[in-house]
Amino acid sequence: MSFERIPPGSRFFALPTPFRMKRGGVLHGARLAYETWGRLAPDAGNAVLILTGLSPSAHAAAHAGDASPGWWEPMIGPGRAIDTDRWFVICVNSLGSCKGSTGPASPDPASGEAYRLDFPELAIEDGADAAHALVASLGIERLACLVGCSMGGMTALAYLLRHPGSARTHVNVCGSARALPFSIAIRSLQREAIRLDPEWREGRYDAEHYPENGMRMARKLGVVTYRSALEWSGRFGRVRLDPDRRHDDEPFGLEFEVESYLEGHARRFVRQFDPNCYLYLSRSMDWFDVIEYAPADAAERVAAALASIRLERALVLGVETDILFPLQQQEEIAEGLAAGGAAVTFSPQPSPQGHDAFLVDIARFGAAIGAFLGGTGPAAGV
Amino acid sequence: MSFERIPPGSRFFALPTPFRMKRGGVLHGARLAYETWGRLAPDAGNAVLILTGLSPSAHAAAHAGDASPGWWEPMIGPGRAIDTDRWFVICVNSLGSCKGSTGPASPDPASGEAYRLDFPELAIEDGADAAHALVASLGIERLACLVGCSMGGMTALAYLLRHPGSARTHVNVCGSARALPFSIAIRSLQREAIRLDPEWREGRYDAEHYPENGMRMARKLGVVTYRSALEWSGRFGRVRLDPDRRHDDEPFGLEFEVESYLEGHARRFVRQFDPNCYLYLSRSMDWFDVIEYAPADAAERVAAALASIRLERALVLGVETDILFPLQQQEEIAEGLAAGGAAVTFSPQPSPQGHDAFLVDIARFGAAIGAFLGGTGPAAGV
């Protein structure tokens, strides 16, 4: 019984073995799942790598091998903001995830059984190093652009810090240089909800005994922090569920539309993401901190670490209503990269949808990314 | 085995029996716990009633019957913002709570056993009506000032809407006229955490089988939304726990100070508040909506309901960093009460502590309330 959920059109890259991890662990025979769109130019100068948030697969958009819509479908394709007529686009499923890349739900070659909690401690940097190895294996020495969204924004910074000169430009979407205590608190609660579920059983669940309630709570709490109070006030207000959608025998059951919305999100997620993978990836976000890369004598260590990154240009996008990766964190990234010499566009968006705006407010995010990557405007051309 | 937690210096008021509740239920032999400070003037014109947030008891400050510090200790006493040399101060434990007033943890006279989920559906209005009956029983026809904090700010509005002319002035502290979907979502998750705990057993827990994990999650999520990201960034940053406070055998155990802070809050709360009472009070906040009191033909129903309240003066306090009762909600109250003819001071506070600032930022809140209630300044004198 496996809890891996592998998109049908995945390709796989065998990571160098042994693959040494930041916190001391070692993986043997590990792999990354990835997908690509467009064609790599003969000089390999048109590659765009996309690093994802916590839960998406590498299936960012439809392609010949998998026609189903991807998680960033309206953003990627011929003539779209990330124009696949021009760019060779790669999206990677994060190391430690359960969507084709090796993670806690994958078989441990030593035993043939899933790693579960025997998976080594996972750091954001491991995802970055694995993605870098994949890019190198494709004959790409230097990315035209490294795009990282949310957790992927952290992974992208790790990628740039650990592999100098690996990208000419960078788009950081709702990322951060280090987790702040509010976000740590939220993720800690999400992990606790899973760990407190008696069915979690220290990671030894199966299909019948599965920490469904813990995953449900974790996801709902996630959605609460991915969106914004402003959006919900306009979208749900105090609207009640229709009587035929309510269970009157449940005294504290769902009553408001917003509760039903959360329930729907939870239902769609619970069995589609492996709980142990969730724990590992979530914890890696709390651990990540660019100050580990600052010169030892730097006074402002976050800024100094970011300023050590060399890029030609960068676009840093954030959302005014984001409570999980608040806008000051993107401002900090923009200032740091600019101090490192990049021509930086800091682009705060007024989207009402909070952290998730990059997934749904394509009008704004597509315009900004499209302009940066190549169409028009002062920031045009990579 | 009772889960009631009754402060030693409580007084009790026997509610009129039967006590008819807003949503159709009836209580027999119900009571309110309350405490008082100062002396009622012969004309009963100096009474200040304090309505609390979800969890506090009536023990707002020390007095001869209970010298332990109360939940608003620095605010109440001789020479303090709520000056007990001048005012006769009453604080009530909310109906439905477990700190001396009748609620789901109290014995049902019909059976002698705790009501648990047989307690009738509780509305904010029931707490308001019960408090009003207590005030009347003390010979007070009209309060000099009605003070309501957080949930108590809702209860105070219900009190004023249902009992016209019952107060000359009003201090609304971090209250709201109706719950918005973000707050509903948070409270729904808190209730779900309790209900999903296998030990909750549809409300039939006992001391050995107690929904401790559900209450822990509910409280932690509460604390996350009672404070602010800004405060925590300054207070905790990314500081780790000392190694001797960590359990290295727990792979996803506490690591950051902010996690330990939440854990401490949860531990102090879990056995001190009855889970069923929590569910009832929490749900009553989601249900409350002043628009039920608006004229049927009103276009702006929240504003119209608030404008139907007659007060001489009002002070409406909110906090810029409050995410649970955001500042626009206090602005809405202030505008509504002003439209009703009151001289209103809307006083947004820049406190970093979020919703809980009224409990901890006594410098700001005490100054504003003290000035309103009587000392100095243009808003002086009640």
Side-chain angles (χ1 to χ4, degrees):
Chain A
M1 176 68 224
S2 168
F3 294 102
E4 293 184 280
R5 296 283 178 273
I6 307 176
S10 302
R11 299 183 196 192
F12 299 97
F13 164 61
L15 284 166
T17 193
F19 180 80
R20 299 196 182 281
M21 298 168 77
K22 176 168 183 276
R23 296 175 67 97
V26 174
L27 295 178
H28 295 273
R31 70 181 190 182
L32 283 190
Y34 70 102
E35 302 188 22
T36 68
W37 301 259
R39 286 195 186 183
L40 187 62
D43 68 353
N46 70 331
V48 174
L49 172 66
I50 300 172
L51 299 169
T52 77
L54 187 150
S55 59
S57 72
H59 190 58
H63 53 73
D66 180 357
S68 66
W71 60 265
W72 223 8
E73 184 70 32
M75 191 67 90
I76 302 165
R80 292 189 175 150
I82 302 177
D83 186 347
T84 52
D85 284 340
R86 177 171 180 191
W87 306 111
F88 174 66
V89 180
I90 311 156
C91 184
V92 184
N93 180 230
S94 309
L95 188 70
S97 179
C98 53
K99 301 198 171 167
S101 294
T102 298
S106 309
D108 176 353
S111 68
E113 302 289 318
Y115 280 104
R116 302 182 185 268
L117 300 199
D118 291 331
F119 196 76
E121 289 185 346
L122 179 77
I124 286 289
E125 284 88 339
D126 300 319
D129 290 350
H132 183 261
L134 162 67
V135 169
S137 79
L138 296 171
I140 300 159
E141 200 181 316
R142 201 166 187 216
L143 292 166
C145 188
L146 173 58
V147 180
C149 307
S150 186
M151 182 185 88
M154 292 177 155
T155 314
L157 293 176
Y159 190 111
L160 296 168
L161 285 162
R162 293 163 74 86
H163 305 284
S166 58
R168 289 172 53 213
T169 74
H170 171 43
V171 178
N172 199 293
V173 183
C174 305
S176 89
R178 60 199 314 216
L180 292 180
F182 178 83
S183 311
I184 292 173
I186 294 289
R187 285 194 286 265
S188 176
L189 282 189
Q190 292 173 306
R191 296 193 297 271
E192 187 168 3
I194 295 169
R195 292 162 52 222
L196 286 177
D197 189 322
E199 302 286 29
W200 179 58
R201 301 194 296 178
E202 304 289 322
R204 292 185 299 277
Y205 44 84
D206 57 33
E208 272 182 58
H209 296 276
Y210 186 89
E212 192 142 339
N213 289 335
M215 286 293 279
R216 170 199 311 276
M217 287 297 297
R219 182 59 170 178
K220 287 189 176 184
L221 184 49
V223 174
V224 165
T225 54
Y226 297 157
R227 311 298 290 214
S228 89
L230 176 72
E231 179 201 11
W232 285 3
S233 293
R235 183 167 170 185
F236 303 115
R238 293 181 47 79
V239 174
R240 295 326 207 256
L241 288 177
D242 293 334
D244 61 345
R245 291 168 63 202
R246 291 176 59 175
H247 301 274
D248 285 337
D249 49 326
E250 271 191 74
F252 295 93
L254 307 185
E255 174 168 348
F256 291 91
E257 276 289 350
V258 68
E259 295 178 280
S260 166
Y261 165 82
L262 289 177
E263 183 66 21
H265 267 283
R267 267 196 210 141
R268 287 191 297 277
F269 185 74
V270 158
R271 293 267 174 177
Q272 294 307 314
F273 206 87
D274 177 71
N276 292 334
C277 292
Y278 193 93
L279 294 173
Y280 272 82
L281 288 164
S282 165
R283 185 179 57 179
S284 77
M285 295 172 76
D286 290 355
W287 279 339
F288 181 64
D289 192 340
V290 296
I291 70 166
E292 295 179 30
Y293 301 91
D297 59 347
E300 298 288 339
R301 296 178 68 197
V302 173
L306 292 166
S308 73
I309 295 172
R310 297 285 168 268
L311 290 163
E312 293 172 11
R313 297 192 307 118
L315 170 65
V316 185
L317 287 156
V319 183
E320 288 167 7
T321 54
D322 188 343
I323 59 173
L324 199 61
F325 287 70
L327 201 56
Q328 309 92 276
Q329 297 207 287
Q330 290 89 55
E331 196 170 10
E332 181 177 61
I333 292 171
E335 288 173 358
L337 295 180
V344 177
T345 305
F346 172 52
S347 186
Q349 302 297 324
S351 317
Q353 297 98 338
H355 183 64
D356 265 3
F358 72 93
L359 295 172
V360 289
D361 191 354
I362 299 296
R364 288 196 173 93
F365 280 80
I369 293 174
F372 180 83
L373 277 182
T376 56
V382 171
Chain B
M1 177 67 225
S2 168
F3 293 102
E4 294 183 280
R5 298 281 179 272
I6 307 176
S10 302
R11 299 181 196 194
F12 298 97
F13 164 61
L15 284 166
T17 193
F19 181 80
R20 299 195 182 280
M21 297 168 79
K22 176 169 183 276
R23 295 175 68 97
V26 175
L27 296 177
H28 295 274
R31 70 181 191 182
L32 283 190
Y34 70 101
E35 303 189 21
T36 70
W37 300 260
R39 285 193 185 183
L40 187 61
D43 68 355
N46 70 331
V48 173
L49 172 66
I50 299 172
L51 299 170
T52 78
L54 188 151
S55 59
S57 71
H59 190 58
H63 53 71
D66 180 357
S68 66
W71 61 265
W72 225 7
E73 186 69 34
M75 191 68 88
I76 302 165
R80 293 190 175 150
I82 303 178
D83 186 347
T84 53
D85 284 341
R86 178 171 178 190
W87 306 110
F88 174 65
V89 180
I90 312 157
C91 184
V92 184
N93 180 232
S94 309
L95 188 70
S97 178
C98 54
K99 302 200 170 165
S101 294
T102 299
S106 310
D108 176 353
S111 67
E113 303 289 318
Y115 280 104
R116 302 181 184 269
L117 300 200
D118 291 332
F119 196 76
E121 289 185 347
L122 179 77
I124 286 289
E125 285 88 339
D126 300 320
D129 290 351
H132 182 261
L134 161 67
V135 168
S137 80
L138 296 171
I140 301 159
E141 201 180 314
R142 202 167 186 214
L143 292 166
C145 186
L146 173 59
V147 180
C149 306
S150 185
M151 182 186 87
M154 293 177 155
T155 315
L157 294 176
Y159 190 110
L160 297 168
L161 285 162
R162 293 163 75 87
H163 305 284
S166 60
R168 289 171 53 212
T169 74
H170 171 42
V171 178
N172 199 293
V173 183
C174 304
S176 89
R178 58 199 315 219
L180 292 180
F182 177 83
S183 311
I184 292 173
I186 294 288
R187 285 194 287 265
S188 177
L189 282 189
Q190 292 174 306
R191 295 193 297 272
E192 187 168 2
I194 295 170
R195 291 161 55 223
L196 286 176
D197 189 323
E199 302 285 29
W200 179 59
R201 302 194 296 179
E202 302 291 319
R204 293 184 300 276
Y205 44 84
D206 57 32
E208 271 182 57
H209 296 276
Y210 185 91
E212 192 143 338
N213 289 336
M215 286 294 278
R216 170 200 310 277
M217 287 297 297
R219 182 58 170 178
K220 288 188 176 184
L221 184 50
V223 173
V224 165
T225 54
Y226 297 157
R227 311 298 290 216
S228 89
L230 177 72
E231 179 201 12
W232 285 3
S233 292
R235 182 167 170 185
F236 303 115
R238 293 181 48 79
V239 174
R240 295 323 206 261
L241 288 176
D242 293 334
D244 61 346
R245 291 168 63 204
R246 291 177 60 176
H247 301 275
D248 284 337
D249 48 328
E250 271 190 75
F252 294 94
L254 307 185
E255 173 168 349
F256 290 91
E257 277 288 350
V258 67
E259 295 179 281
S260 166
Y261 165 82
L262 290 177
E263 183 66 22
H265 267 282
R267 267 196 209 140
R268 288 191 296 277
F269 185 75
V270 159
R271 294 269 173 175
Q272 294 307 312
F273 206 86
D274 177 70
N276 291 333
C277 291
Y278 193 92
L279 294 173
Y280 273 80
L281 288 164
S282 165
R283 185 179 57 178
S284 77
M285 296 172 77
D286 289 354
W287 279 338
F288 181 64
D289 193 339
V290 297
I291 70 164
E292 295 178 31
Y293 302 92
D297 59 347
E300 298 288 340
R301 296 179 70 197
V302 173
L306 292 166
S308 73
I309 295 173
R310 297 286 168 265
L311 291 162
E312 294 173 10
R313 296 193 306 120
L315 170 66
V316 184
L317 287 156
V319 182
E320 288 167 7
T321 52
D322 189 342
I323 59 172
L324 199 62
F325 287 70
L327 202 57
Q328 310 91 277
Q329 298 207 287
Q330 291 88 54
E331 196 169 11
E332 181 177 60
I333 293 171
E335 287 172 0
L337 296 180
V344 177
T345 305
F346 171 52
S347 185
Q349 302 297 325
S351 317
Q353 297 98 338
H355 184 63
D356 265 2
F358 72 93
L359 295 172
V360 288
D361 191 355
I362 299 297
R364 287 196 174 92
F365 280 79
I369 293 173
F372 180 83
L373 277 183
T376 55
V382 170

